[in-house]
Amino acid sequence: MEDIYKKIKDLRQKKGFTLKDLSERTDLSVSFLSQVERGSSSLAITSLKRIADAFEVPITCFFETETNYNYIVKVEHRKPFTIEGSSASYTRLNGEFSGRSLEPLLVTLSPKQVQTQTSSHPGEEFYYVLKGAVLFTIDGKEYFVRDGDSIHFPSNVPHFWENPLNEESMILCVLTPVIF
């Protein structure tokens, strides 16, 4: 736990946040956050998740060690996963090391799949269509992106996607900040 408390303080200082700034972003009290950073208070996983969200880092960054690097991802070690509320299949393509800022993913969209929620968050998104086509709606404007085309936009504008085809589509996606 000592390492987690230290990482919280280090991240807060690196981001230029005061304890009050972090308190406002997490709805956790300044005194509680101060106790956490000093290691004099225990920390629930829900509170750690709020802190990770405020720093725009995955919660796993608090459990990583600096010496556990893995730069290569062999195809046989890739494991697709899904996100609750989405029928898209995601496969991580990233190496493992602390401080990374890119989130590369292979995304497989089922035929006629529509993303049900509009997203808007800090960062950037880049997509390259490997197979099929994807209809992106970004800030109310539609972009039909075909096999071999790419699209790149700031994530803070409202956006969603859909696979308008009767066949599977696959896209290479690179996001910032790291979300998984």
Side-chain angles (χ1 to χ4, degrees):
M1 287 302 286
E2 197 67 32
D3 289 341
I4 292 172
Y5 301 142
K6 182 179 180 334
K7 284 184 181 183
I8 291 171
K9 185 173 183 176
D10 290 346
L11 261 175
R12 180 180 62 78
Q13 291 173 337
K14 185 188 290 185
K15 296 269 185 183
F17 292 174
T18 64
L19 283 170
K20 185 175 187 300
D21 294 333
L22 187 56
S23 172
E24 290 170 357
R25 292 170 184 260
T26 61
D27 290 326
L28 301 170
S29 73
V30 171
S31 61
F32 172 73
L33 291 168
S34 176
Q35 290 172 350
V36 166
E37 284 188 0
R38 291 192 318 269
S40 60
S41 179
S42 60
L43 184 61
I45 196 74
T46 53
S47 297
L48 186 59
K49 176 67 173 132
R50 286 182 183 181
I51 292 168
D53 289 347
F55 291 144
E56 298 174 349
V57 299
I59 195 169
T60 55
C61 89
F62 295 109
F63 303 100
E64 295 172 346
T65 60
E66 293 292 322
T67 57
N68 189 16
Y69 300 133
N70 186 17
Y71 300 128
I72 188 168
V73 180
K74 296 282 193 175
V75 69
E76 63 267 19
H77 294 129
R78 293 185 193 154
K79 293 184 177 91
F81 64 97
T82 58
I83 298 173
E84 189 175 330
S86 172
S87 57
S89 172
Y90 298 85
T91 304
R92 288 184 186 98
L93 302 175
N94 58 281
E96 292 294 330
F97 55 92
S98 62
R100 66 185 182 88
S101 57
L102 297 176
E103 187 75 70
L105 300 162
L106 180 62
V107 183
T108 305
L109 304 174
S110 302
K112 297 293 186 181
Q113 179 180 341
V114 178
Q115 186 179 16
T116 55
Q117 285 187 317
T118 300
S119 297
S120 179
H121 48 87
E124 295 180 48
E125 300 189 25
F126 170 85
Y127 296 92
Y128 177 81
V129 178
L130 298 165
K131 173 183 154 192
V134 180
L135 181 63
F136 288 88
T137 302
I138 303 168
D139 207 16
K141 185 174 179 186
E142 291 184 343
Y143 300 89
F144 189 71
V145 186
R146 300 176 191 262
D147 187 342
D149 294 340
S150 62
I151 189 166
H152 182 200
F153 56 91
S155 302
N156 65 333
V157 295
H159 59 279
F160 65 93
W161 63 26
E162 68 180 271
N163 177 2
L165 306 179
N166 290 321
E167 62 188 53
E168 183 178 87
S169 290
M170 290 180 65
I171 51 180
L172 171 65
C173 166
V174 182
L175 307 171
T176 65
V178 172
I179 56 176
F180 298 114

